């Protein structure tokens, strides 16, 4: 890591339980949602502001969930 942020964990309130969600970076979050839908997926949580950027949650056509992040990341 050498002091760089490239992963994280957070506490979820019940009844969320434990789960994993992979995040990918995007240079165009608003354009990415159209590509997801065109590819047979769906946007589950539309783009929203978070500290240091914006995120959205989506799923692919086989119901694998993932998130996209647009904003500042460590190299």
């Amino acid at each position: 890591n050498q002091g760089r942020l490239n992963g994280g964990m957070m506490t979820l309130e019940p009844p969320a339980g434990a789960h994993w969600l992979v995040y990918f970076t995007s240079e165009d979050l608003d354009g990415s949602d159209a590509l997801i839908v065109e590819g047979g997926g769906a946007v589950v949580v539309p783009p929203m502001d978070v500290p240091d950027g914006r995120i959205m949650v989506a799923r692919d056509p086989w119901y694998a969930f993932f998130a996209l992040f647009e904003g500042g990341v460590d190299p």
Side-chain angles (χ1 to χ4, degrees), residues 14-27:
H19 68 274
W20 291 94
L21 181 63
V22 64
Y23 282 70
F24 301 101
T25 57
S26 171
E27 293 182 358

Side-chain angles (χ1 to χ4, degrees), residues 32-74:
S32 296
D33 60 359
L35 292 173
I36 291 166
V37 172
E38 287 173 18
V43 174
V44 179
V45 177
M48 65 179 170
D49 294 333
V50 295
D52 297 324
R54 298 171 66 221
I55 65 166
M56 65 182 260
V57 179
R59 66 162 178 80
D60 70 13
W62 300 274
Y63 284 79
F65 290 84
F66 61 94
L68 295 179
F69 174 78
E70 176 185 355
V73 296
D74 290 334

